[in-house]
Amino acid sequence: GLEELDKERNYKEISGLFELAPQTDMVIDDRTWHDLNMDIVFSRVDRTFTWPGIQRLYQLMRSPEIKNVGKIGERTAMISDLQTDSKLREDVQVILSKMDARVGSGLCTLLWGNPEVDPVHPLWLYRIMFVLALLSPLLLLVSVRYTIAMLFIFQVNMYLHFKVQKRIRSHFEGVRSLRQLMSISRKMAGIRSECLEKLLSK
């Protein structure tokens, strides 16, 4: 069988597109998915370069086309074209490799979800720490003994900053990923291929 590519997979983030985007009538429920150890199967099938790619692959595997024979035929034809046309396959791989694989997990939330971030701490705390950080250098005019207090204030502010940044990072990465995806789409549209023209026209 296929060997599993050695890369980290956060299935909570990978399943984001499947959870948020409109679903088809035929989906594999969570219990069946885990009973069949489909995460292991997915990890062996996964050869994607990008976050949108890995999320789309997961969505396809959770939403198998059983009744729509026409769509199955279209996918089979596209896969066959990529397998037989080495130049087309390499051109697509080169373009996709330009997308930063480290970002993009929040793209589906940006497009289909409702990006909301609850405050980690009360807002008054941020205001107080901002004022203290702004005024703390004045303590040095009183005495250098307040240096430790000033450093403590800045350290607390840094902690609050990185705590919030960690919570909202995926939303900013989603915007960045969307920009990259639009750029890649323009480049993909420039490839002359009947297979891609059919795919991009949908």
Side-chain angles (χ1 to χ4, degrees):
L2 291 173
E3 293 185 2
E4 179 180 345
L5 287 183
D6 185 19
K7 66 177 182 179
E8 293 185 7
R9 293 180 178 86
N10 185 330
Y11 285 97
K12 182 178 180 180
E13 294 181 344
I14 290 173
S15 63
L17 178 61
F18 170 74
E19 299 290 347
L20 294 173
Q23 296 185 355
T24 61
D25 295 333
M26 178 60 191
V27 296
I28 300 176
D29 60 82
D30 291 340
R31 181 174 180 178
T32 303
W33 179 268
H34 293 300
D35 286 347
L36 296 175
N37 293 320
M38 289 300 292
D39 282 345
I40 297 176
V41 177
F42 177 84
S43 66
R44 292 183 178 274
V45 174
D46 176 29
R47 293 295 186 272
T48 55
F49 289 99
T50 65
W51 263 107
I54 194 172
Q55 289 179 325
R56 176 58 174 158
L57 176 62
Y58 185 90
Q59 183 191 40
L60 289 174
M61 292 183 65
R62 289 292 299 264
S63 310
E65 293 288 351
I66 297 178
K67 299 179 180 179
N68 194 335
V69 179
K71 185 167 288 188
I72 295 175
E74 290 177 0
R75 288 180 184 172
T76 302
M78 284 187 287
I79 293 172
S80 178
D81 286 342
L82 288 170
Q83 287 177 331
T84 56
D85 192 337
S86 59
K87 185 179 185 307
L88 171 61
R89 184 172 64 251
E90 290 171 4
D91 289 343
V92 171
Q93 288 176 335
V94 169
I95 292 174
L96 291 178
S97 66
K98 301 297 177 61
M99 189 169 186
D100 193 343
R102 298 170 298 175
V103 301
S105 61
L107 178 59
C108 55
T109 304
L110 178 68
L111 296 177
W112 288 284
N114 185 19
E116 292 183 356
V117 179
D118 297 326
V120 182
H121 303 95
L123 293 178
W124 58 262
L125 177 62
Y126 299 107
R127 296 191 181 101
I128 290 176
M129 294 309 302
F130 169 75
V131 173
L132 289 176
L134 193 65
L135 299 178
S136 60
L138 298 177
L139 294 174
L140 296 178
L141 299 177
V142 179
S143 173
V144 294
R145 291 179 299 176
Y146 291 108
T147 301
I148 296 178
M150 186 183 71
L151 292 175
F152 175 75
I153 291 172
F154 277 99
Q155 189 172 11
V156 171
N157 270 295
M158 287 179 62
Y159 167 79
L160 294 175
H161 168 77
F162 288 112
K163 188 78 172 179
V164 174
Q165 184 187 53
K166 185 177 180 180
R167 291 282 297 274
I168 66 176
R169 183 177 59 187
S170 63
H171 300 305
F172 288 103
E173 289 180 349
V175 175
R176 179 182 170 189
S177 180
L178 179 60
R179 179 181 60 81
Q180 291 180 349
L181 194 61
M182 293 172 64
S183 175
I184 284 175
S185 298
R186 286 194 295 268
K187 294 178 181 178
M188 293 275 282
I191 299 178
R192 292 292 172 255
S193 167
E194 184 179 349
C195 169
L196 285 182
E197 287 176 1
K198 289 181 180 179
L199 178 62
L200 295 174
S201 65
K202 296 185 181 299

